[in-house]
Amino acid sequence: MKKILGILITLVAVYVLTAMVGDNFLSAYNQEKLLERTALFGILSIGVAFVIITGGIDLSIGSVVCLTGCGLPWLMVKHEWPPAIAVPMVLVVAALIGLSHGLLITKLNLQPFVVTLCGLLIYRGLTRGFTEDQTQGFGGEFSGLRAVANEKISLTAEFGIPWTWVILVVIAVMAWIFLNKTIYGRYLRALGNNEDAARFSGVNTDRMIILAYVFSSMLAGLGGMLFVMNVGSAQPSNFGNFYELYAIAAAVLGGCSLRGGEGTILGVVIGAAVMRVLYNMINLVTWIPTHIEFAVVGAVILVAVISDELVKRAAARRRVRG
Amino acid sequence: MSSLLEARGVVKSFPGVKALRGVDLRLGAGEVLAVLGENGAGKSTLMKALAGVQAADGGEFLMNGDPVRVDTVRGAMAAGIALIHQELNMAGNLDVAANIFLGREFRKFGLVDDERMRREAVTYLKMVGLDVDPAVEVGTLPIGKQQLVEIAKALSVDAKVLIMDEPTSSLSQTEAEQLFVVVKDLVSRGVSIIYISHRLSEIVQIADRVTVLRDGENAGELAGDEITHGKMVQLMVGRDVDRFYQRTQHELGEVALEVKELRTTAYPEHAASFQVARGEVVGVAGLVGAGRTEMLEAMFGVMPALGGEVWVQGEKATIGAPREAIAAGLALVPEDRKTQGAILDMAVLENASLASLKRDARKGAFLNREAEEALAEKGIKDLSIRTPDAAQLVRYLSGGNQQKVVLAKWLAMKPKVLLLDEPTRGIDVGAKQEIYGLIEELAKQGMAILFVSSEMEEVMGLSDRVLVMHEGEVAGELKRGGITEEQIMSLATGGVSQELKV
Ligand SMILES: Nc1ncnc2c1ncn2[C@@H]1O[C@H](COP(=O)(O)OP(=O)(O)OP(=O)(O)O)[C@@H](O)[C@H]1O
Ligand SMILES: [Mg+2]
């Protein structure tokens, strides 16, 4: 709880601020959209959190979102694959991508930054290739499948909880249990802190690292499909652009250390929420020009990380005196 | 005697721990003062306070009677105090000269003047009797030489007080001897030394005066002839530690470990072969660089062996990774606790259970919290680990207590064959005795134990049999009862063997 206090305060602060200055922020429609987006980005962020906990990084997430987001309608519409085959197929491709990252990083000792940077370039290029850079969409079909990503559980006449949020909660709970309650989660944190010591203790460190990259890519693949099901179509040249950075930022905001070994799932989800509220604020508040979005996001993350560090130091001092 | 450095009433607390509760310390000019105490007594904390690495919460510090501020490393350096860390602190990827002048580089036209630094470095390297090229990377030097580089660095800032925190804990006997020569030489130049070690024989050899800490307080002082093994132990532990190596005779069982023609990267052309029986304690002696650590690591699958076989209880083991070695019934307490043994940013509990999780502390894929707690509590109790509780991060334990956590992790495994690489490095006398007791107990229960140690006394006192290694080969075997230091040394240096081949 202590670990996520800082990010929780940040979320409340940004939320209240936006509610005060933004028109329509509290409208049922906007709140629903906010939840929906938080869920989608939250899924990506949980994936990358696993990799960050091992002390690695995954820069390919945005391109995997592009590949899977364009790939799903491409298979279903252009090649007329039924959803029951196309969806699992896309997930398998995503898993294979993660597997190849993991193998290159553990067996060939390549650096995660380099491997996934190449991934970032390759998957987007491939997608633009096989789609011939044409927008891929469902063209009004498949509303049953797409309901998963854009329908809600109605609570009142206007407001409901989006189904994507249910998916996020299920994934978050499973991730939390994995990290905190299973021996494999313990191994993951141990090797993130000190890979040699973990290996000496009999942990199959390579296998755990590979698993983290598979999780990351699979969740990116799931996210990519949900994104395209949500909006209906995807453009290969920009679908998922910068999503890896949003995901990494959310994970870092949520308390993952890039040095490895640390991270809480709840923190990461809250981190994703902070990112979305910020984005929402920039779009709703008329006197903030929309094109300075990145500057605002960057500045807020910096402030959050700095105040977190200051709070930690103050707490350490207080503990000493007490 | 007028004192050069004086500290009065030094206090320092950490969360849940009062590490120093008003400690006094006095150091005369040209004196070698040994600071003794059990693991966690506060020695390193006091030294860090003196050297400005970790400022004290309170206390007075005087140099030649004048108050000085030592709350930063810079301040302490200006006052003439330098600390050689318990854990070496060098930038391994930089060359010797760059390390010596780190932060005080000579410059020419704004750029680093490597040539001048290397020239000047030689002066200080001579002072510590080190003959290395100042342009070689520090990381490529053996530990003993790295340490001398660190001392040269301290001399280069004109340190008047040199603090050495367990300098010999990772040195071989010869390297240690070389260090003592350097220490004596420094003293004759008027440098004063504060010296911390758990090896009491060293202290008898080099200290002029001894001051003992217990639980963060002064526990007494000894000078000159009073400095004896017994008196020091009495002051440290508050009781007599007699019958240090207590071995009883018991029946040896069948062969538990057999190593056949094992070759490692250290000496690719040489092979080692030997056996260890159930219930037997075998010590491995040899010089640093004799290939002992490499041999253990190859047996444990840390790095691939170049050839040879390992048999455990009559079965050939295929070992390509530590987890396979563990499955075959081996356990290794590695040499370097910081990089290979402990996970510093995890709790004592999580460290203690890490190796045995899979076998003893799970329900399916899930952690079994109660089993883990039981494991940790047993480790804390058996090895008297000094920690506020099992949830404390290992980072915040004293050096010796970190080592005990690593030992606890492996003892919990109850392996068929226990391999130990410098198991008591940095551990205090009282705890050492307890650990020897545990080893004896485990042997009695039928475990085969193979340990590498650079402490001659430990090898001779604890072993049923000693293997002496020289350049990757077993140069000879000595049986309990007939082991002398001279025999070990002559075998270790490749001299004519006078061993009793059995
Ligand atoms: N950064 C820290 N945070 C919390 N506790 C600490 C910290 N550093 C030291 N301690 C505690 O302070 C006490 C004294 O530790 P110190 O390292 O000075 O012992 P030591 O006498 O050097 O022992 P050793 O012989 O094992 O090296 C120990 O109980 C230790 O756990
Ligand atoms: Mg210490």
Side-chain angles (χ1 to χ4, degrees):
Chain A
M1 204 53 207
K2 243 186 265 158
K3 276 186 199 144
I4 58 164
L5 197 61
I7 180 70
L8 204 56
I9 292 171
T10 310
L11 176 63
V12 172
V14 177
Y15 191 91
V16 171
L17 187 71
T18 316
M20 288 192 306
V21 300
D23 305 329
N24 290 327
F25 177 70
L26 292 175
S27 72
Y29 176 76
N30 190 60
Q31 289 295 308
E32 254 173 47
K33 276 283 150 208
L34 191 60
L35 279 179
E36 194 176 273
R37 292 272 128 173
T38 298
L40 294 175
F41 281 98
I43 291 170
L44 304 185
S45 307
I46 290 173
V48 81
F50 275 97
V51 167
I52 292 177
I53 287 170
T54 68
I57 194 81
D58 190 347
L59 296 177
S60 71
I61 290 172
S63 295
V64 173
V65 165
C66 175
L67 178 76
T68 55
C70 295
L72 186 69
W74 182 74
L75 287 176
M76 284 169 47
V77 177
K78 188 154 185 233
H79 294 275
E80 300 182 346
W81 288 27
I85 298 177
V87 171
M89 191 61 207
V90 170
L91 274 181
V92 167
V93 169
L96 288 177
I97 286 174
L99 181 67
S100 63
H101 292 167
L103 287 172
L104 288 171
I105 288 161
T106 55
K107 304 299 177 196
L108 282 187
N109 257 330
L110 302 185
Q111 288 177 356
F113 191 99
V114 177
V115 170
T116 59
L117 178 66
C118 295
L120 176 148
L121 299 168
I122 292 170
Y123 312 134
R124 183 165 302 274
L126 279 180
T127 310
R128 295 181 69 169
F130 72 75
T131 59
E132 290 164 341
D133 220 6
Q134 298 301 307
T135 301
Q136 302 296 310
F138 296 106
E141 305 280 313
F142 303 108
S143 50
L145 177 68
R146 288 186 55 203
V148 175
N150 49 26
E151 289 297 319
K152 61 184 176 184
I153 308 169
S154 295
L155 296 180
T156 69
E158 286 160 16
F159 180 76
I161 304 281
W163 276 107
T164 49
W165 192 255
V166 175
I167 299 176
L168 172 73
V169 169
V170 170
I171 289 173
V173 168
M174 291 191 335
W176 184 85
I177 291 175
F178 180 87
L179 264 187
N180 296 291
K181 296 287 162 191
T182 71
I183 59 172
Y184 304 106
R186 175 72 60 76
Y187 289 167
L188 211 58
R189 286 201 301 122
L191 80 90
N193 269 310
N194 186 342
E195 192 174 333
D196 270 342
R199 198 160 51 92
F200 270 76
S201 301
V203 176
N204 191 339
T205 50
D206 285 1
R207 196 193 293 166
M208 293 308 304
I209 292 173
I210 293 170
L211 194 65
Y213 282 91
V214 170
F215 281 167
S216 179
S217 294
M218 282 186 76
L219 288 179
L222 177 66
M225 290 192 291
L226 289 172
F227 271 111
V228 77
M229 279 148 58
N230 181 267
V231 295
S233 67
Q235 214 174 8
S237 57
N238 66 15
F239 195 68
N241 259 347
F242 292 119
Y243 281 14
E244 62 281 337
L245 298 187
Y246 288 125
I248 293 167
V252 170
L253 272 176
C256 292
S257 158
L258 289 182
R259 260 164 269 141
E262 274 174 54
T264 64
I265 296 299
L266 187 56
V268 171
V269 173
I270 299 174
V274 170
M275 301 288 297
R276 292 337 292 169
V277 178
L278 271 181
Y279 181 81
N280 203 209
M281 169 162 79
I282 292 156
N283 280 295
L284 288 179
V285 180
T286 41
W287 46 266
I288 304 179
T290 317
H291 33 266
I292 68 161
E293 181 203 337
F294 284 147
V296 176
V297 172
V300 171
I301 295 178
L302 205 54
V303 169
V305 177
I306 290 171
S307 42
D308 189 48
E309 187 60 36
L310 295 182
V311 168
K312 253 191 246 157
R313 287 190 193 179
R317 267 197 298 276
R318 212 162 338 108
R319 272 201 312 158
V320 170
R321 283 201 213 98
Chain B
M1 178 171 44
S2 74
S3 46
L4 173 66
L5 168 68
E6 198 171 339
R8 293 188 198 139
V10 185
V11 285
K12 173 84 192 173
S13 305
F14 298 106
V17 186
K18 279 212 162 72
L20 300 174
R21 313 161 184 255
V23 174
D24 302 329
L25 182 123
R26 201 166 47 76
L27 177 69
E31 188 182 37
V32 179
L33 171 69
V35 177
L36 286 187
E38 290 183 280
N39 295 129
K43 303 178 298 293
S44 297
T45 307
L46 179 62
M47 297 310 134
K48 285 182 194 158
L50 286 173
V53 175
Q54 205 173 50
D57 298 339
E60 274 181 277
F61 300 90
L62 309 166
M63 255 331 238
N64 291 316
D66 301 324
V68 284
R69 295 196 50 162
V70 293
D71 40 10
T72 61
V73 175
R74 227 164 237 286
M77 245 184 210
I81 304 170
L83 170 67
I84 314 292
H85 281 266
Q86 181 166 8
E87 323 286 349
L88 281 182
N89 246 352
M90 301 245 103
N93 57 339
L94 296 183
D95 68 36
V96 169
N99 267 288
I100 290 180
F101 295 109
L102 194 63
R104 303 169 292 123
E105 287 78 5
F106 293 118
R107 273 177 246 171
K108 195 154 128 194
F109 313 123
L111 301 176
V112 174
D113 186 351
D114 273 323
E115 237 165 76
R116 170 144 177 242
M117 294 207 300
R118 284 171 192 167
R119 242 182 0 253
E120 305 250 338
V122 175
T123 327
Y124 300 108
L125 292 174
K126 273 210 192 105
M127 283 189 201
V128 297
L130 191 56
D131 183 26
V132 296
D133 180 356
V136 305
E137 277 183 20
V138 165
T140 62
L141 298 176
I143 298 266
K145 292 197 169 156
Q146 292 190 23
Q147 198 156 49
L148 292 175
V149 173
E150 201 157 325
I151 295 173
K153 177 179 175 169
L155 295 178
S156 75
V157 296
D158 199 22
K160 305 206 172 46
V161 176
L162 202 57
I163 303 173
M164 300 187 190
D165 194 349
E166 300 193 34
T168 51
S169 66
S170 34
L171 299 189
S172 67
Q173 192 108 357
T174 21
E175 284 175 323
E177 294 295 339
Q178 194 185 346
L179 181 74
F180 301 153
V181 173
V182 172
V183 165
K184 294 224 165 90
D185 186 54
L186 291 177
V187 168
S188 70
R189 288 168 197 268
V191 178
S192 304
I193 311 263
I194 301 179
Y195 188 93
I196 296 179
S197 175
H198 288 292
R199 300 185 179 178
L200 300 183
S201 47
E202 287 174 9
I203 291 180
V204 176
Q205 189 178 346
I206 69 165
D208 299 317
R209 208 153 51 81
V210 170
T211 187
V212 180
L213 298 186
R214 197 190 304 157
D215 287 334
E217 288 172 351
N218 292 85
E221 275 203 8
L222 301 169
D225 292 342
E226 297 170 343
I227 306 178
T228 63
H229 202 281
K231 284 210 169 101
M232 286 190 282
V233 173
Q234 177 71 43
L235 275 180
M236 273 171 78
V237 196
R239 63 182 157 88
D240 285 319
V241 176
D242 56 347
R243 304 210 295 170
F244 206 57
Y245 301 98
Q246 202 176 4
R247 296 300 316 275
T248 51
Q249 281 296 322
H250 56 258
E251 283 288 299
L252 299 188
E254 72 274 25
V255 174
L257 172 74
E258 177 159 21
V259 171
K260 295 179 182 167
E261 297 288 315
L262 190 71
R263 289 184 299 121
T264 69
T265 44
Y267 295 96
E269 320 80 58
H270 297 173
S273 303
F274 57 90
Q275 297 182 338
V276 183
R278 290 185 51 151
E280 192 180 26
V281 180
V282 175
V284 184
L287 303 179
V288 163
R292 296 175 298 168
T293 293
E294 287 84 353
M295 180 181 81
L296 292 188
E297 291 192 343
M299 287 165 62
F300 198 63
V302 175
M303 47 178 203
L306 297 180
E309 293 175 0
V310 175
W311 292 65
V312 180
Q313 294 191 350
E315 275 179 53
K316 183 166 182 252
T318 33
I319 295 173
R323 61 175 191 284
E324 288 167 0
I326 292 171
L330 303 181
L332 169 66
V333 176
E335 182 180 25
D336 187 339
R337 67 165 165 267
K338 229 177 169 181
T339 62
Q340 306 168 325
I343 297 183
L344 295 179
D345 285 313
M346 288 179 98
V348 171
L349 174 121
E350 292 169 317
N351 270 276
S353 66
L354 187 62
S356 25
L357 272 186
K358 210 172 198 147
R359 199 188 62 198
D360 297 332
R362 66 174 176 149
K363 298 179 187 137
F366 292 93
L367 297 167
N368 180 345
R369 199 69 192 182
E370 292 88 68
E372 270 194 89
E373 270 159 20
L375 274 174
E377 288 308 323
K378 184 167 161 38
I380 290 173
K381 198 168 126 283
D382 285 354
L383 295 163
S384 43
I385 298 173
R386 186 173 301 199
T387 174
D389 52 43
Q392 178 78 318
L393 297 187
V394 171
R395 175 178 298 285
Y396 300 136
L397 301 189
S398 78
N401 283 298
Q402 293 180 356
Q403 178 70 13
K404 291 187 197 171
V405 172
V406 177
L407 274 170
K409 168 168 78 178
W410 289 110
L411 294 183
M413 287 298 285
K414 301 219 171 51
K416 291 174 189 151
V417 179
L418 180 61
L419 311 173
L420 302 142
D421 200 351
E422 306 284 359
T424 60
R425 173 180 287 181
I427 285 187
D428 70 50
V429 267
K432 260 185 198 168
Q433 191 201 25
E434 286 163 32
I435 288 168
Y436 298 149
L438 271 171
I439 289 179
E440 161 76 13
E441 190 55 36
L442 293 170
K444 228 188 241 167
Q445 289 165 15
M447 196 182 286
I449 292 165
L450 182 73
F451 76 99
V452 165
S453 172
S454 297
E455 255 184 279
M456 206 61 102
E457 283 175 52
E458 183 168 289
V459 172
M460 295 192 296
L462 195 60
S463 315
D464 291 316
R465 195 155 51 97
V466 175
L467 304 175
V468 186
M469 286 198 63
H470 173 68
E471 296 188 347
E473 289 174 319
V474 178
E477 270 187 23
L478 303 166
K479 275 235 156 190
R480 184 172 187 80
I483 309 174
T484 66
E485 198 166 330
E486 290 69 39
Q487 277 177 317
I488 293 181
M489 279 321 282
S490 112
L491 284 169
T493 48
V496 197
S497 61
Q498 346 156 341
E499 83 262 42
L500 328 152
K501 272 268 183 204
V502 205

